[in-house]
Amino acid sequence: MTELVLPNDANPLGNILGGKVMHLMDIAGALAAARHSRRVCVTASVDSIDFLHPIRVGEAIQVVAQVTDAGRTSMEVQVDVYSENLRTGQRRHTATAFFTFVALDEGGRPTPVPAVIAETPEERRRQAEARRRRQARLARVGRLVEEQAEPAQGPGRTAGVPARRPGSGPVGDGEEAGGGDRP
């Protein structure tokens, strides 16, 4: 998703507010998770966000999100932020964060999600990194022991929930549900 940074989005220095960037990242991540799971999804956690470069009023902000891996009811979504100077065309990576979303059923309870099928070497690398981050998150909140008893993702891990490719739900500029390119 792409937006123009306007004065009402900015701090006194003329840069977009960090809270506005985080809001856009959360929306893009939730959309990618919802497209993957075909469910309403809620934010469960966010890894650290480092703002690498400011985004100025008058520049475009592009937020791109993609599901990197899925557990039983949760998904990790990588969210990347880019700025673009519309006069020069210069594009810069400004932030990346990893969000965890949980899919909910009609009663608001966690519900199973499709596995992520990593086919390319890049997708397999991202999935392996996602699994390492998941272990670290679970250890951080003291849930590693109980989660290890659950089956890992893979064929047959959740009956009736088909697996999906990572490209089946990214959110970015000009992308349709069901596909798209990453920058």
Side-chain angles (χ1 to χ4, degrees), residues 90-161:
Q90 180 187 15
R91 192 165 180 259
R92 294 188 345 178
H93 175 244
T94 64
T96 294
F98 296 93
F99 286 67
T100 301
F101 290 91
V102 174
L104 302 178
D105 66 14
E106 292 76 16
R109 294 174 301 273
T111 190
V113 299
V116 172
I117 300 172
E119 295 178 338
T120 69
E122 176 68 12
E123 289 170 348
R124 286 191 288 276
R125 181 189 63 77
R126 287 178 192 261
Q127 187 174 59
E129 290 173 356
R131 290 178 179 179
R132 285 191 292 276
R133 284 187 296 273
R134 180 174 190 266
Q135 293 301 310
R137 281 190 292 270
L138 293 174
R140 186 177 66 232
V141 297
R143 292 179 45 198
L144 184 58
V145 174
E146 66 188 61
E147 291 288 330
Q148 285 180 336
E150 291 186 25
Q153 92 162 11
R157 68 166 182 78
T158 305
V161 180

Side-chain angles (χ1 to χ4, degrees), residues 6-183:
L6 299 171
N8 61 319
D9 299 324
N11 63 25
L13 299 174
N15 302 323
I16 193 169
L17 295 163
K20 174 74 175 185
V21 175
M22 291 187 287
H23 176 77
L24 294 172
M25 292 174 83
D26 192 40
I27 290 171
L31 285 168
R35 284 178 165 172
H36 180 79
S37 66
R38 298 294 178 211
R39 295 287 187 166
V40 171
C41 297
V42 295
T43 309
S45 73
V46 182
D47 291 3
S48 65
I49 301 173
D50 295 314
F51 298 101
L52 307 173
H53 303 283
I55 303 174
R56 307 278 305 154
V57 168
E59 292 184 329
I61 178 173
Q62 183 182 37
V63 185
V64 180
Q66 183 173 2
V67 176
T68 55
D69 198 22
R72 193 177 68 76
T73 62
S74 66
M75 295 151 281
E76 183 194 81
V77 179
Q78 179 176 338
V79 183
D80 296 305
V81 179
Y82 302 89
S83 66
E84 181 181 347
N85 182 312
L86 297 173
R87 285 174 295 178
T88 66
Q90 180 187 15
R91 192 165 180 259
R92 294 188 345 178
H93 175 244
T94 64
T96 294
F98 296 93
F99 286 67
T100 301
F101 290 91
V102 174
L104 302 178
D105 66 14
E106 292 76 16
R109 294 174 301 273
T111 190
V113 299
V116 172
I117 300 172
E119 295 178 338
T120 69
E122 176 68 12
E123 289 170 348
R124 286 191 288 276
R125 181 189 63 77
R126 287 178 192 261
Q127 187 174 59
E129 290 173 356
R131 290 178 179 179
R132 285 191 292 276
R133 284 187 296 273
R134 180 174 190 266
Q135 293 301 310
R137 281 190 292 270
L138 293 174
R140 186 177 66 232
V141 297
R143 292 179 45 198
L144 184 58
V145 174
E146 66 188 61
E147 291 288 330
Q148 285 180 336
E150 291 186 25
Q153 92 162 11
R157 68 166 182 78
T158 305
V161 180
R164 294 175 56 104
R165 293 197 62 243
S168 63
V171 177
D173 189 41
E175 296 176 281
E176 300 176 20
D181 296 324
R182 292 195 39 88

